[in-house]
Amino acid sequence: RGQYGSLTTRYNNELYERTVFHERLIGDVDAAIDNGDFVVYFQPKYQIQSERPVLTSAEALIRWIHPELGFISPGEFIPLFEQNGLIRRVDHYVWRCAARQIKRWREQYDVTVPISVNVSRVDIFDPELEKKLCDILDEFSLTPDELMLEITESAYSDSADRLIEVVGSLRDKGFKIEMDDFGAGYSSLNMLTEIPIDVLKIDMQFIRRMLLDDKKLGLVRLVMDIARFLHVPVVAEGVEEEEQLNVLRQMGCDIVQGFYFSPPLPAERFGELINQECQGKEETSC
Ligand code: C2E
Ligand code: MG
Ligand code: MG
Ligand code: MG
């Protein structure tokens, strides 16, 4: 053992505790779905090329309010559930919640707020994926363009052929595909020539540093050019400051999501936002 003995032990203990924690999370998924411990939040996206920002859509983001462990961030459990396939059940649950919410808001406010849901790269390999999504549309009487699909860029490096096939088929059905976290991975540029997408979502890390680092700013500008070339709108996520918003607007960025406008909100709070938005203006569908 020698002088490193205690270090090794501490390392092993931490590893052990982490494993126990993860086993616990895995074991609690069924109960969490049954008891409603997974809660879906909605973060608004704003069109920024109009005279004033207009609420256009939302992203559904899962939260786990564990009865004993408290709040657990998706950054903690999503990668874990991607390792063992549990993500398929969890994502299906989130998609249904999102779809139900579109229907509810339509009934409550007489307006359609399209919602983007996250689709894990694991879901791409689910042979039932398309059927699951279509069944959800049927269940809540939605059209496919109302439930948009955010696929993270990491999925694009995994298995290009499979992805091209699945995305092509989903788009044939009318689903809109957003490439999430664009620029964070490697294969993005090449994949863009192979996979038809509907929206480019630039990774938050570029937005956060673009006013501090000219190289990041240059990259953001480049993404705008790529998007124009592809004739797809750009969503900038992680916008926290007015200055970022102004620069993005000038560059021609179409849609913005971030704490500057709002953090992800529980459904009722988002409903208040829709209500506000609907008051005293004609330019939206309200
Ligand atoms: P993402 O899909 O790229 O989602 C954007 C993340 O950025 C969210 O974190 C959101 O809360 C956060 N965010 C938005 N605006 C700002 C901002 O202005 N500043 C900062 N600092 N953060 C901002 P969240 O909710 O913790 O989710 C993290 C990731 O977990 C997501 O990244 C997504 O990859 C994954 N995820 C979340 N919900 C789901 C889900 O239902 N299914 C799957 N498969 N993945 C999910
Ligand atoms: Mg996303
Ligand atoms: Mg993202
Ligand atoms: Mg992300």
Side-chain angles (χ1 to χ4, degrees), residues 43 59-63 73-75 78 87 91 94 118-120 150 180-181 204 208 237-240 257-259 264:
Q43 188 176 29
E59 177 176 8
L61 293 157
I62 191 172
R63 273 88 188 86
S73 136
I78 294 287
I87 190 70
D91 275 348
V94 174
N118 287 284
V119 175
S120 161
E150 288 192 12
D180 203 354
D181 305 327
M204 187 151 46
R208 300 183 77 174
E237 67 180 336
V239 174
E240 297 184 354
Q257 175 183 352
F259 295 171

Side-chain angles (χ1 to χ4, degrees), residues 268-283:
E268 317 78 65
R269 293 273 318 282
F270 197 102
E272 292 165 17
L273 211 62
I274 300 173
N275 202 24
Q276 271 172 33
E277 192 83 1
C278 293
Q279 318 244 305
K281 65 188 202 46
E282 284 84 56
E283 67 259 46

